[in-house]
Amino acid sequence: MTDATANTPADPKPKPKTSLLAADARTNARNAAEKRFQYFGLAAIAAGAFFLVVLVFAILSNGLPAFKQAVVKMDFTLTQAQFDEAESATLKTKVYTGYFISALEQKLQAEGVTAQFDAKAIDRILGKVGGQMRGFYRENPDKIGQEISFELPAASRVDRYLKGGFTRADLTSDNRFFHQSDFDLVDALKDAGIVRSAFNWTFITGVDTGVDNAGGAGIGASVLGSFLMMLVVLCLALPIGVAASIYLEEFAPKNRFTDFIEVNISNLAAVPSIVFGILGLAVFIQFMHLPQSAPLVGGLVLTLMTLPTIIISTRASLKSVPPSIRDAALGVGASKMQSVFHHVLPLAAPGILTGTIIGLAQALGETAPLLLIGMVGFIARYPDSFLGGFEGPNSAMPAQIYNWASRSDVVFTEKAWGGIIILLAFLLTMNIIAIILRRRFERRW
Amino acid sequence: MYDIPNTNRDAAVESNEVKFKCTDCQVYYGDTHAIKDVSCDLRDRTVTAFIGPSGCGKSTFLRCLNRMNDTIDVARVQGSFLLDGEDIYDKKVDPVQLRAKVGMVFQKPNPFPKSIYDNVAYGPRIHGLAKNKAELDDIVEKALRRGAIWNEVKDRLDAPGTGLSGGQQQRLCIARAVATEPEVLLMDEPCSALDPIATSQVEELIDELRENFSVVIVTHSMQQAARVSQKTAFFHLGNLVEFGDTNQIFTNPQDSRTESYITGRIG
Ligand SMILES: Nc1ncnc2c1ncn2[C@@H]1O[C@H](COP(=O)(O)OP(=O)(O)OP(=O)(O)O)[C@@H](O)[C@H]1O
Ligand SMILES: [Mg+2]
């Protein structure tokens, strides 16, 4: 083409010869635009990364202390005579406290640390030592006479003093919770290695507590609640969602009715979750009389919420399977269903799994619908049995976090941040599982 | 042009029995009238070639013969298609059963993303053609040999079918189609991605298949049509312009459009 026109003598304006070494104005402008776009993209990523770093820093610095707990570590031996004496006394726990204090004095003397204290101060610092010891020995009478290494949680003010959240200046005057002199005692006990910071297992395995034992509150029961709900969601949303998508994508005739359904599913995915919550309240609790605050109901509500996500991602991955595969299967005489289940579904599986896990992760972090069906209650004990856990009252991780964050005691604020770390750890794990599954399935061919 | 040795082809079995009787066939894609008033009789144990310019409806007509057009929502098929005297578009006919009898090789190679073995074994498995693993192995080997690909893949039957070259994939698809022992084999440009050697192997296969089956092949190569087929149908803009003995079509075409096409003036 160009050759032909260049050779035509009648060509009015012969194309001027240009050098490849010198960029022309258009090329310069184009390159500049490309550069600008790249810088813009870089800036966007940098901003995103910055916010992420700030977020992670804030969460970790506020939440990590929740995983630490000041404990009192004491090696202690109780003789049978002491046990009998204490159990026959009127104020039994007081006797136990006395034993503990004398053991503590001996230990401090051995370490060469001098400290002044009385039973009241011990109660303020260690909480109800006597009660805890009595409980232990009554449950384990065989341990009498043996040396037991006790690790008892210290009072929440001691905990916060060691973490730096509570200082001498914060205590304007002695009160029934703490005295100015207690700071010296704690320092002395810390030097002697009796008070120290340990990993707070109670936070992970424990249940919710009231203000009197704020430090002992744990997220365990709500983790169980969340887990039970996720089981319900997985068992309902995955089969229903995949079956609905396969029907819509592969079998349903394309007509107005299916178009209508399709539009509605897309719209459902955008419905605010609180709407599902109020729907669950009206249908499952008020109409069907399912128990309030139960993970079963929570799971049902979250199933409704997750279904559109699963259906949309499943349909997208079914669509992305090339039609020639379906033709190939039909061409050798496979039925529609065989072609779907033998060929299309395995190819779509990674996409379906990823979509499902992302849907589950969304459901795991959902709080609003749970507020409406009453899953924010105060859950002070684990359910009695696994199946009973579905219908007994329980909370969920995000609801528990919300609940803690709205309490006035700062200890609970710390717990809320710690809970966020656990929630994020679960979400991260689920996403990693999604990535691994996707890799595993895709690498097969 | 490249004449292939080995042929007692024209002397081979030829039948006058009609396998497929198509009358007044119309195909519409929405408002597009893709096949217009086509009537033709395809004989048993005969290779019929469909030739014609691109977009004239060869594939469309071929797909009518095993009801693959059912899968296209906008496609409407009218007319009667009798396979051994039975209307394949009858309400009582299950297209799945039909497709087991009328196999197809598609224009673009489309192996399953499974192993080579599973690709070929899939049809026999779902139709229950093999009683045990040894029988299935036999069927697979025979099919791969017929598809002229056995020597290349016999050491890697577990390798994915999608990892083969384009031409190998197409031969794998041919092997997959013959593995179910269809009565009619529809081949849509099976050789468009093959080199001359593989092409001649596939042509030999077609010739061999003719002993038992009726084969319909769509091709853009005049030489191929002349070499492998006994009957040739020339399509143009959705019409069946001419249908007759291959010899006659290529030496003495009745229609001026056929003549222009085979001499290279339209297409
Ligand atoms: N799925 C479809 N939807 C709509 N129109 C189609 C579809 N498939 C084919 N057509 C139309 O039908 C006509 C015939 O197409 P067909 O594929 O049968 O041509 P062909 O003869 O096989 O061509 P080629 O030699 O290029 O393969 C074309 O005009 C094409 O645009
Ligand atoms: Mg075609």
Side-chain angles (χ1 to χ4, degrees):
Chain A
M1 240 341 237
T2 40
D3 278 350
T5 41
N7 292 341
T8 317
D11 194 8
K13 241 199 263 163
K15 204 176 171 197
K17 252 198 140 23
T18 56
S19 163
L20 275 178
L21 297 176
D24 60 17
R26 281 185 71 85
T27 313
N28 281 334
R30 222 165 35 205
N31 289 349
E34 204 169 306
K35 269 261 142 52
R36 270 201 306 279
F37 181 75
Q38 285 190 11
Y39 285 136
F40 181 71
L42 262 179
I45 289 182
F50 172 75
F51 287 125
L52 185 69
V53 168
V54 169
L55 185 74
V56 169
F57 179 77
I59 290 175
L60 290 185
S61 61
N62 283 303
L64 279 182
F67 292 88
K68 290 273 184 174
Q69 163 77 43
V71 292
V72 178
K73 196 164 179 298
M74 265 294 288
D75 297 332
F76 186 80
T77 317
L78 186 83
T79 60
Q80 186 68 44
Q82 282 176 316
F83 179 71
D84 295 339
E85 183 196 338
E87 288 300 317
S88 56
T90 343
L91 291 169
K92 301 182 179 66
T93 56
K94 201 154 186 185
V95 182
Y96 282 103
T97 313
Y99 294 153
F100 187 84
I101 288 171
S102 51
L104 191 63
E105 273 168 341
Q106 274 172 23
K107 175 121 195 222
L108 285 176
Q109 256 169 21
E111 299 271 339
V113 185
T114 48
Q116 301 291 313
F117 56 89
D118 53 15
K120 282 254 162 60
I122 290 298
D123 269 358
R124 285 195 299 270
I125 290 175
L126 300 187
K128 309 274 179 277
V129 181
Q132 296 201 32
M133 284 177 62
R134 177 166 183 242
F136 174 81
Y137 282 113
R138 280 166 63 94
E139 273 188 19
N140 308 287
D142 52 312
K143 291 278 169 26
I144 294 168
Q146 297 174 22
E147 189 179 68
I148 304 294
S149 185
F150 278 99
E151 216 173 64
L152 307 169
S156 72
R157 276 173 184 73
V158 177
D159 188 43
R160 276 165 50 219
Y161 171 59
L162 291 186
K163 284 173 187 168
F166 180 64
T167 59
R168 285 166 197 265
D170 289 331
L171 189 73
T172 42
S173 64
D174 291 356
N175 57 28
R176 74 185 171 93
F177 297 117
F178 222 68
H179 288 190
Q180 232 8 288
S181 60
D182 292 344
F183 288 112
D184 302 323
L185 179 57
V186 171
D187 285 342
L189 290 174
K190 198 176 150 204
D191 289 341
I194 292 169
V195 167
R196 58 192 189 84
S197 208
F199 190 80
N200 187 1
W201 285 107
T202 324
F203 179 59
I204 293 176
T205 57
V207 294
D208 200 3
T209 58
V211 264
D212 51 325
N213 183 18
I219 202 168
S222 20
V223 170
L224 179 72
S226 281
F227 175 74
L228 295 177
M229 286 202 302
M230 290 306 110
L231 268 188
V232 174
V233 174
L234 191 66
C235 293
L236 290 178
L238 183 63
I240 296 179
V242 171
S245 331
I246 291 179
Y247 178 73
L248 282 175
E249 200 53 47
E250 306 283 337
F251 293 94
K254 301 273 172 291
N255 56 27
R256 288 206 177 168
F257 181 64
T258 43
D259 280 352
F260 177 74
I261 289 182
E262 199 170 333
V263 169
N264 273 290
I265 289 174
S266 316
N267 284 344
L268 274 183
V271 168
S273 53
I274 194 135
V275 177
F276 287 104
I278 209 150
L279 182 82
L281 176 66
V283 175
F284 297 128
I285 295 178
Q286 291 174 351
F287 179 70
M288 291 168 65
H289 297 294
L290 291 175
Q292 230 173 5
S293 315
L296 175 68
V297 177
L300 288 174
V301 171
L302 294 180
T303 299
L304 294 182
M305 232 195 68
T306 318
L307 262 179
T309 316
I310 292 186
I311 292 181
I312 288 171
S313 67
T314 304
R315 292 190 68 183
S317 33
L318 288 175
K319 267 203 188 87
S320 69
V321 175
S324 63
I325 297 293
R326 297 178 177 85
D327 283 352
L330 297 178
V332 294
S335 69
K336 186 98 199 170
M337 205 170 123
Q338 284 172 327
S339 94
V340 169
F341 281 90
H342 295 168
H343 300 288
V344 179
L345 209 51
L347 288 176
I352 296 175
L353 283 176
T354 319
T356 307
I357 292 178
I358 287 174
L360 277 185
Q362 246 176 34
L364 185 69
E366 200 56 68
T367 327
L370 304 183
L371 303 184
L372 284 177
I373 57 165
M375 284 191 74
V376 274
F378 173 77
I379 303 305
R381 60 189 191 93
Y382 276 100
D384 302 325
S385 67
F386 180 73
L387 282 180
F390 284 103
E391 34 179 39
N394 205 334
S395 187
M397 275 189 273
Q400 181 70 75
I401 291 168
Y402 168 81
N403 190 313
W404 279 338
S406 56
R407 293 187 197 169
S408 55
D409 194 331
V410 280
V411 181
F412 285 117
T413 317
E414 185 185 279
K415 301 266 175 197
W417 283 100
I420 286 174
I421 292 183
I422 292 189
L423 183 60
L424 286 180
F426 272 101
L427 292 178
L428 204 65
T429 316
M430 289 172 80
N431 278 307
I432 289 173
I433 291 174
I435 291 170
I436 291 174
L437 284 177
R438 156 157 243 154
R439 284 272 166 80
R440 162 108 11 121
F441 274 95
E442 271 174 355
R443 221 181 264 160
R444 271 188 25 209
W445 300 113
Chain B
M1 284 199 188
Y2 9 77
D3 221 325
I4 292 153
N6 151 32
T7 40
N8 48 354
R9 279 180 177 166
D10 288 348
V13 263
E14 198 171 327
S15 157
N16 287 325
E17 247 174 76
V18 173
K19 188 76 182 169
F20 248 117
K21 186 173 181 62
C22 313
T23 344
D24 293 333
C25 308
Q26 320 278 349
V27 180
Y28 301 87
Y29 288 114
D31 295 334
T32 329
H33 198 169
I35 292 287
K36 300 163 189 158
D37 288 327
V38 171
S39 300
C40 63
D41 294 345
L42 307 176
R43 291 205 201 149
D44 201 6
R45 279 174 262 154
T46 304
V47 178
T48 308
F50 287 179
I51 60 171
S54 190
C56 67
K58 305 178 296 293
S59 302
T60 302
F61 187 67
L62 200 68
R63 291 165 62 92
C64 291
L65 301 179
N66 68 344
R67 293 188 57 173
M68 280 305 280
N69 282 332
D70 290 13
T71 61
I72 301 173
D73 284 324
V74 292
R76 264 186 307 128
V77 179
Q78 291 169 2
S80 97
F81 295 81
L82 304 181
L83 173 64
D84 293 330
E86 295 172 337
D87 185 1
I88 62 170
Y89 281 86
D90 193 284
K91 286 229 157 47
K92 278 178 251 155
V93 172
D94 185 353
V96 171
Q97 238 173 330
L98 169 72
R99 288 184 201 126
K101 274 192 181 183
V102 185
M104 185 160 195
V105 177
F106 293 84
Q107 193 161 353
K108 273 184 257 156
N110 53 356
F112 299 128
K114 294 179 187 295
S115 71
I116 293 171
Y117 183 93
D118 286 339
N119 259 282
V120 182
Y122 182 67
R125 264 193 201 130
I126 59 173
H127 298 303
L129 298 186
K131 282 189 209 69
N132 50 40
K133 176 89 171 88
E135 255 182 60
L136 192 60
D137 288 350
D138 279 351
I139 292 178
V140 169
E141 178 176 345
K142 196 168 142 218
L144 286 170
R145 279 190 196 283
R146 282 172 143 185
I149 193 179
W150 172 252
N151 286 331
E152 284 154 80
V153 301
K154 62 175 179 230
D155 302 324
R156 45 173 175 148
L157 291 176
D158 291 332
T162 37
L164 298 170
S165 79
Q168 289 172 327
Q169 288 187 12
Q170 187 63 300
R171 278 178 285 152
L172 178 63
C173 293
I174 294 173
R176 184 176 66 191
V178 298
T180 52
E181 302 278 341
E183 293 170 23
V184 181
L185 188 60
L186 310 174
M187 305 175 104
D188 198 345
E189 295 183 39
C191 300
S192 56
L194 302 190
D195 66 13
I197 298 169
T199 303
S200 76
Q201 285 171 331
V202 171
E203 287 176 4
E204 256 172 62
L205 161 74
I206 293 171
D207 207 55
E208 192 189 302
L209 292 175
R210 181 161 69 91
E211 289 173 18
N212 301 310
F213 313 136
S214 158
V215 179
V216 184
I217 174 169
V218 172
T219 176
H220 279 289
S221 153
M222 300 304 128
Q223 289 79 20
Q224 185 172 50
R227 277 195 307 264
V228 299
S229 69
Q230 289 78 48
K231 294 277 180 185
T232 298
F234 172 63
F235 286 82
H236 188 245
L237 298 176
N239 295 302
L240 177 60
V241 174
E242 198 166 345
F243 180 49
D245 286 339
T246 301
N247 278 341
Q248 174 253 315
I249 297 259
F250 281 97
T251 53
N252 184 19
Q254 303 294 303
D255 196 289
S256 59
R257 285 171 291 179
T258 319
E259 189 181 357
S260 314
Y261 182 70
I262 59 178
T263 53
R265 266 176 283 150
I266 54 172

